[in-house]
Amino acid sequence: DEVTNAAVMFGNFAATIDTKDKVLQAFPEVGWEFLDCPQEYNIQGEPDWRPFVQSLEDCGVEAVYYSGQAYPNMQNMLDAAAQEGYEPIWVTESNSYLASFAEWNSSGNGDNVYVRTAFTPFEQAETNPATQQYMDIVEGNGGDISQLGEQATSSFLLWATAARACGAELTRDCVMEEMSQVDSWTGGGLHAESNPAENMPPQCSMLLQLDGTEWVQSFPEEEGEFVCSDDYVVELS
């Protein structure tokens, strides 16, 4: 019900604007209705986030799609919203799926934040060997785990698989040819199945939610399961 009164909030930066444009084109196909009150913020931060809160609240927005980083802008926005007693649903992307974001949420100001993901969450690593292996490798070398890091790992493994198939005759053309034949890819089990050969993303995902200082699976109900549909992949112009 809330997403029928939605708005976008995005930084004045090419990547966040591009993501916002994709959302405005794709989300209405699954029931979102956007009100005419988009909020554009300075990607380097704002001296006061309360005017954004007031604009969204005055417009009747009940669900905000947020394009940008969790720290510090979204966190500052959430604090300002809490001060004003404004409690919409916040939906953002997997770049915000961070342990530091959860640790920040000791106040509960981010409890209405949702993140969509096609990767098994770190909190479920004990049931997914690939996730545990990624964590062990990265943390064992003093690194920080993140879903962006998992994406890079999956990409590297795809390249390495193609490079191994090329053998001693390793060339760019050979690697590209080998990858063009990979029509099922999960990064060794890190994420839902994708199709690199046709440049298609996963048709399966799950929804995570901040709950205090923890990330929990919100949908589907069965922990560790993804929900899949052909309708989850939307063609963009």
Side-chain angles (χ1 to χ4, degrees):
D1 293 337
E2 284 87 344
V3 301
T4 60
N5 292 292
V8 290
M9 187 169 188
F10 57 97
N12 59 347
F13 181 68
T16 50
I17 292 172
D18 185 50
T19 300
K20 175 265 299 183
D21 289 343
K22 292 178 180 179
V23 164
L24 287 174
Q25 187 177 143
F27 279 29
E29 295 198 23
V30 291
W32 285 60
E33 297 177 17
F34 289 98
L35 302 173
D36 188 21
C37 44
Q39 303 295 309
E40 182 176 354
Y41 63 88
N42 188 335
I43 197 69
Q44 295 181 337
E46 294 284 348
D48 188 356
W49 293 88
R50 286 175 297 179
F52 295 93
V53 174
Q54 195 64 58
S55 294
L56 291 167
E57 192 167 20
D58 290 347
C59 195
V61 175
E62 298 178 74
V64 183
Y65 176 84
Y66 183 93
S67 180
Q69 295 284 350
Y71 175 82
N73 291 335
M74 189 176 192
Q75 293 176 4
N76 290 337
M77 179 66 184
L78 291 168
D79 282 339
Q83 291 169 9
E84 299 296 319
Y86 179 53
E87 299 179 345
I89 287 173
W90 300 86
V91 177
T92 188
E93 298 298 343
S94 55
N95 63 312
S96 292
Y97 171 56
L98 299 166
S100 58
F101 195 6
E103 291 168 2
W104 165 86
N105 192 40
S106 58
S107 64
N109 290 348
D111 280 355
N112 282 341
V113 172
Y114 292 83
V115 169
R116 58 198 183 112
T117 178
F119 282 73
T120 297
F122 297 125
E123 291 78 7
Q124 299 172 12
E126 63 181 20
T127 63
N128 191 54
T131 304
Q132 188 63 62
Q133 290 166 10
Y134 164 80
M135 295 171 66
D136 291 342
I137 292 169
V138 174
E139 292 178 332
N141 284 276
D144 296 322
I145 60 172
S146 70
Q147 193 165 122
L148 292 179
E150 286 184 297
Q151 292 173 4
T153 300
S154 179
S155 297
F156 168 75
L157 290 172
L158 178 61
W159 172 87
T161 299
R164 181 172 58 186
C166 291
E169 303 299 325
L170 182 60
T171 64
R172 290 183 179 89
D173 288 343
C174 180
V175 169
M176 294 302 295
E177 174 61 28
E178 289 293 335
M179 287 195 296
S180 72
Q181 300 177 43
V182 179
D183 58 9
S184 176
W185 184 255
T186 66
L190 288 172
H191 52 76
E193 182 182 16
S194 60
N195 185 342
E198 296 183 15
N199 197 29
M200 293 296 290
Q203 296 180 343
C204 305
S205 65
M206 69 171 64
L207 201 63
L208 304 178
Q209 179 184 3
L210 267 181
D211 182 10
T213 56
E214 296 181 352
W215 287 101
V216 298
Q217 182 172 329
S218 174
F219 183 78
E221 292 183 1
E222 185 68 28
E223 186 170 294
E225 295 293 324
F226 291 95
V227 61
C228 307
S229 172
D230 292 344
D231 296 336
Y232 288 179
V233 178
V234 178
E235 186 174 354
L236 301 174
S237 64

